[in-house]
Amino acid sequence: AQTVTQSQPEMSVQEAETVTLSCTYDTSENNYYLFWYKQPPSRQMILVIRQEAYKQQNATENRFSVNFQKAAKSFSLKISDSQLGDTAMYFCAFMKMETDSWGKLQFGAGTQVVVTP
Amino acid sequence: DAGVIQSPRHEVTEMGQEVTLRCKPISGHDYLFWYRQTMMRGLELLIYFNNNVPIDDSGMPEDRFSAKMPNASFSTLKIQPSEPRDSAVYFCASSPRTGWDTEAFFGQGTRLTVV
């Protein structure tokens, strides 16, 4: 079984600053996906970024980037130039790369990010 | 496509009553998932379907919970009888199978309150 750990319950950051959210996971699988989802107060779950474990290059999406360390089983998210609209709960998630597991996610407990003016 | 559509958005019911949550996945998606979100347990997978067939229901907490997917465009999650500890946000998500490039698309959730 896989476990996903987010050790930071809450992070506060000022507008335009950078914040890094940590995520570690435990798995015996070699092929898998990792995701960061954002949940704003509207409750909608929104995909922020995705990383395939077989890719060594870290994924980036505009102001969002990850630091994927496969050997250490670490998958941190960096939000650069933080904006007020980034205020949300952020979830790290794991998915096995196998036929019967498409879209089946194991979530961490979440980190609440608060962006202040 | 309008995305994954869940109804109702909010439901308040009395203990012992039957509750039915509904989901319309994105057209063409092969996989449908039901998740539950609570403060205590976070987001947990209850059950998922592949091409309308239940694949894994090991996350369903009790026999009071049941889920169906009669066709590719509709699924229900039923709780009978409901209990206060079932109060949570229930998410439906769907996922395409497009090679290795996949993600789960979530609905806006149903907030269930059992009093």
Side-chain angles (χ1 to χ4, degrees), chain B residues 19-106:
Chain B
V19 174
T20 299
L21 311 182
R22 296 172 174 78
C23 175
K24 182 181 187 309
I26 294 173
S27 177
H29 282 193
D30 295 324
Y31 293 83
L32 184 139
F33 305 83
W34 283 100
Y35 288 89
R36 179 172 68 174
Q37 185 177 31
T38 61
M39 289 295 291
M40 291 296 294
R41 300 173 68 88
L43 277 153
E44 51 183 346
L45 178 66
L46 300 178
I47 185 171
Y48 76 101
F49 296 82
N50 178 11
N51 289 321
N52 313 338
V53 176
I55 301 299
D56 183 354
D57 65 354
S58 60
M60 297 285 261
E62 300 170 38
D63 291 345
R64 298 183 297 106
F65 287 70
S66 62
K68 293 183 180 179
M69 192 165 185
N71 57 62
S73 59
F74 184 66
S75 177
T76 60
L77 178 67
K78 186 178 293 187
I79 308 172
Q80 165 64 18
S82 57
E83 296 183 4
R85 58 196 169 115
D86 301 331
S87 297
V89 178
Y90 291 81
F91 285 100
C92 176
S94 70
S95 174
R97 182 177 174 176
T98 55
W100 296 114
D101 184 19
T102 186
E103 71 174 89
F105 294 82
F106 283 77

Side-chain angles (χ1 to χ4, degrees), chain A residues 4-96:
Chain A
V4 179
T5 303
Q6 293 179 250
S7 58
Q8 304 150 315
E10 185 168 330
M11 300 281 283
S12 184
V13 60
Q14 285 194 313
E15 259 188 306
E17 297 297 307
T18 295
V19 64
T20 300
L21 312 183
S22 67
C23 173
T24 58
Y25 57 95
D26 185 23
T27 185
S28 59
E29 303 288 328
N30 191 46
N31 295 317
Y32 49 88
Y33 281 102
L34 295 163
F35 303 85
W36 280 97
Y37 275 86
K38 167 185 176 180
Q39 187 179 38
S42 67
R43 211 167 65 203
Q44 181 75 50
M45 293 287 286
I46 303 164
L47 179 66
V48 175
I49 200 164
R50 167 179 51 219
Q51 175 81 41
E52 294 89 342
Y54 63 86
K55 289 186 178 178
Q56 291 189 333
Q57 186 173 6
N58 289 324
T60 62
E61 285 290 341
N62 301 313
R63 298 181 294 106
F64 298 88
S65 61
V66 299
N67 183 4
F68 173 49
Q69 300 290 327
K70 190 172 184 180
K73 297 180 182 175
S74 170
F75 183 60
S76 62
L77 174 70
K78 184 169 78 171
I79 306 174
S80 303
D81 186 25
S82 297
Q83 300 175 359
L84 295 177
D86 295 334
T87 292
M89 182 73 86
Y90 287 79
F91 292 95
C92 179
F94 174 99
M95 187 186 86
K96 278 198 275 187

